[in-house]
Amino acid sequence: MFLKNHWYIAARAGEIGRAPLGRVICGVPLVLFRTEAGAPAALSNVCSHRRAPLDKGKLAGDAIVCPYHGMRFDAGGRCVRIPGQETIPAEAHIDAFPAVERWDLVWVWMGAPGAADPAAIPARPWRADPAWNAESTHYYHVKASHLLMTDNLLDLGHVAYIHADTIGFDAAVLEKDPLVTEVDGERVRNTRIVENIEPAPAVKGWGGFTGRVDRVSISDWTPPCYTAIQFANRSRSGEGAVEFRIDHFPTPETDRTMHYWVLVSRNFRIGDAELTRRIHADNDRVAAQDIDIVEAQQRMIDLAPGRRDMPIRQDKGLVAAHRILARLARAEAAARRTRAAAAARSLSRSAAGTRRAAPRR
Ligand code: FES
Ligand SMILES: [Fe+2]
């Protein structure tokens, strides 16, 4: 249902501390906390004893204590104490998930632990570049599949309609759409450059433009569902330019809900706090417009489950991304089957060994 062999954002770095935090990622309930040394830890939030949620417990050193009967688990998921007994069976241990702090966010690896490579965390270097203002991080909880938001970001033709009063452009542009879609391996790039256009209402405010602009939007999509958008507007009459990097990370919570992270960076008037507040508020309005439509889509999908989408010409990038996702899902399923078969073989070998040893009993 979800691609697992990827890094997903679990929280902002500041959200995780010495008080356990519960969060569901890819349908898996996690408890997040920091060790005494400050390293982020992510464990299954389900106690192996009676399935109590560990985020209701407390930390004792680097171990989390279940609130129900006091079993303790270290930051690697090993059960290290069961009150009233000395033996700790293997089934007492719980899953641990690799967790890494990067770009002021905590990322968790939801796939096979041995395959976790921090180098695969999406690169967003402008989030740590002093030439960019990277103060804006938005979080939204959305009642729709994360796939609807990743589709939304591969389909920026909607900006002319859904965002008409914020960052939209004249829908007449789409009649001779300058959209260029490029697919390179697992990456999809959509570029739309519109010259000599009236700036969008919000863009006017950010750049103080009185005249027309050239507008550039380049969006780079990578699996499982991430889009980095370069968005620039340049005045045609010498009134300057505004340029942004807008990073979208729709993250699956369940198959019908998502965590939606939007990081906004800009490279102009970077010390202007009033402008930061204004851009943050405007981006909240933009996100609310997207959230409203994808939640409404999800309701229609639930009411008409047999219906399929009917792609149109501007969906070329979206269709390419869907093919990539399907290919990756097949590869993950095949790897799971191989692991399951290997585990079954090793189980039957150890059972045979037990049978050979049995006559001694
Ligand atoms: S449910 Fe956690 S110790 Fe009993
Ligand atoms: Fe949008």
Side-chain angles (χ1 to χ4, degrees):
M1 182 167 42
F2 308 116
L3 287 178
K4 293 289 181 83
N5 284 330
H6 292 273
W7 291 97
Y8 289 96
I9 298 172
R12 287 181 216 206
E15 277 185 285
I16 301 185
R18 296 289 291 165
L21 173 74
R23 188 147 287 163
V24 176
I25 304 288
C26 294
V28 178
L30 300 179
V31 57
L32 305 157
F33 59 92
R34 285 186 192 275
T35 63
E36 286 182 319
L43 304 180
S44 162
N45 198 17
V46 184
C47 179
S48 51
H49 174 220
R50 301 275 306 281
R51 290 178 283 179
L54 296 173
D55 68 302
K56 288 186 175 296
K58 287 192 169 58
L59 294 175
D62 283 349
I64 187 158
V65 184
C66 179
Y68 210 178
H69 312 96
M71 277 170 58
R72 290 185 184 204
F73 305 88
D74 71 14
R78 290 191 67 76
C79 179
V80 291
R81 178 169 144 75
I82 300 178
Q85 76 179 59
E86 284 183 4
T87 312
I88 296 180
E91 309 88 271
H93 307 314
I94 56 174
D95 288 338
F97 299 82
V100 170
E101 198 164 331
R102 180 80 52 86
W103 318 125
D104 211 25
L105 300 160
V106 172
W107 302 75
V108 289
W109 176 264
M110 302 304 294
D117 177 4
I121 292 174
R124 297 295 187 266
W126 44 88
R127 296 298 294 171
D129 181 341
W132 290 77
N133 177 311
E135 290 168 7
S136 266
T137 297
H138 302 256
Y139 170 81
Y140 311 98
H141 184 262
V142 183
K143 294 186 193 67
S145 161
H146 72 292
L147 295 172
L148 294 177
M149 194 60 89
T150 193
D151 284 357
N152 166 292
L153 293 158
L154 282 153
D155 139 40
L156 293 181
H158 80 264
V159 171
Y161 291 92
I162 289 292
H163 304 303
D165 62 352
T166 50
I167 55 164
F169 54 86
D170 183 353
V173 165
L174 297 173
E175 298 306 322
K176 282 198 177 160
D177 195 353
L179 175 68
V180 176
T181 297
E182 299 160 277
V183 182
D184 176 15
E186 291 181 357
R187 311 176 80 85
V188 178
R189 167 171 281 196
N190 280 322
T191 302
R192 193 180 260 118
I193 299 174
V194 189
E195 293 182 335
N196 196 12
I197 195 170
E198 190 64 25
V203 171
K204 254 186 208 172
W206 302 336
F209 301 126
T210 57
R212 293 168 81 83
V213 296
D214 295 333
R215 171 180 171 129
V216 177
S217 160
I218 302 171
S219 57
D220 288 308
W221 177 91
T222 49
C225 44
Y226 302 150
T227 304
I229 299 179
Q230 303 174 47
F231 181 55
N233 285 255
R234 293 190 181 87
S235 163
R236 294 181 67 87
S237 54
E239 292 182 300
V242 296
E243 186 173 347
F244 296 88
R245 295 279 186 280
I246 307 171
D247 302 306
H248 297 262
F249 294 98
T251 300
E253 179 184 50
T254 67
D255 58 354
R256 280 184 174 72
T257 57
M258 77 180 99
H259 308 288
Y260 181 31
W261 306 91
V262 184
L263 321 180
V264 180
S265 316
R266 71 175 194 274
N267 68 356
F268 63 98
R269 292 165 56 195
I270 62 171
D272 186 336
E274 182 47 42
L275 182 64
T276 304
R277 273 192 291 278
R278 178 179 188 150
I279 290 173
H280 195 86
D282 285 342
N283 275 295
D284 274 341
R285 288 172 60 213
V286 172
Q289 292 169 329
D290 287 311
I291 291 167
D292 184 59
I293 191 71
V294 299
E295 288 187 339
Q297 255 182 308
Q298 182 69 62
R299 288 194 293 276
M300 291 307 108
I301 289 166
D302 290 344
L303 287 168
R307 296 295 300 242
R308 299 177 75 100
D309 292 345
M310 193 281 302
I312 59 176
R313 184 182 292 169
Q314 57 181 278
D315 292 338
K316 199 171 149 199
L318 192 150
V319 170
H322 284 194
R323 284 205 190 103
I324 294 165
L325 290 176
R327 201 163 66 225
L328 293 173
R330 283 195 299 274
E332 281 200 6
R336 265 197 304 276
R337 282 195 298 274
T338 306
R339 278 200 302 276
R345 274 197 302 276
S346 118
L347 249 181
S348 75
R349 269 198 303 272
S350 63
T354 308
R355 277 198 300 277
R356 275 195 297 277
R360 271 189 281 145
R361 269 196 295 161

